[in-house]
Amino acid sequence: MVDSVFSDIPVQYANIAKATKAIEFNMASDMQTGSLLKTLVASKPSGRILELGTGTGLATSWILDGMDDRTRLTTIDNNELLLDIGRAALPDARVEFVLADGYAWIKNYSGEKFDMIFADAMPGKYDLFEETIRLVKEGGFYVIDDMLPQPNWPQGHSEKVESFIGDLEKRNDVALTKLNWSTGIIIVTKIK
Ligand SMILES: C[S@@+](CC[C@H](N)C(=O)[O-])C[C@H]1O[C@@H](n2cnc3c(N)ncnc32)[C@H](O)[C@@H]1O
């Protein structure tokens, strides 16, 4: 099995990747993560999906590819330049691109819970985690990447990651699997 060969890359992916490279954005999610997100979201027909940290929309394109017609995605970033690349490349009525500070958005959100949250920004992952996991439906997924050491990690981040994983493992309201694959993924399922 070769897990770096993908037969189902979203059609918009190449354009977004080109724009991402042009602006030298180096925090994009990789293809393995994207493919996994597509696979997971496909298990949630008529689902409500949240992505925290749109970036230029690379992972967004995979998520949209896995969604059925009735599923809706909200994706949030506080960087207009990045968000606009995704918005322009993915004109799709099922997705709402939200330019907002994730901290404020999470604190103020009072709508329906989500069937899957892909948390790829500080808010919703290392910060405001309790507020965010509360937004996942029972049986829903909370997915994080970049759990293995990355070249762009600032000093001290490694300890933060270890402590975050330790806290996750102590919880009794989730089932989780750590994947030493891609950039280091944890799939969390909310069980109560
Ligand atoms: C790791 S990147 C996301 C990459 C994206 N998943 C992709 O596939 O390209 C993290 C993103 O979080 C955004 N971000 C950082 N702080 C934020 C905040 N306070 N509120 C909203 N977005 C934030 C950054 O602008 C960046 O685009």
Side-chain angles (χ1 to χ4, degrees), residues 102-132:
Y103 291 91
W105 190 93
I106 292 165
K107 282 186 199 155
N108 294 329
Y109 182 76
S110 60
E112 199 187 325
K113 289 187 180 189
F114 294 94
D115 295 282
M116 183 173 100
I117 297 180
F118 175 44
D120 200 14
M122 290 299 272
K125 194 172 177 181
Y126 300 107
D127 298 327
L128 300 184
F129 173 76
E130 289 300 335
E131 290 81 351
T132 305

Side-chain angles (χ1 to χ4, degrees), residues 25 27-29 53-55 58-59 77-79 82 100-103 120-121 123:
F25 179 64
M27 289 158 61
S29 302
T54 316
L58 285 168
D77 208 290
N78 64 353
N79 182 320
L82 301 177
D101 171 45
Y103 291 91
D120 200 14

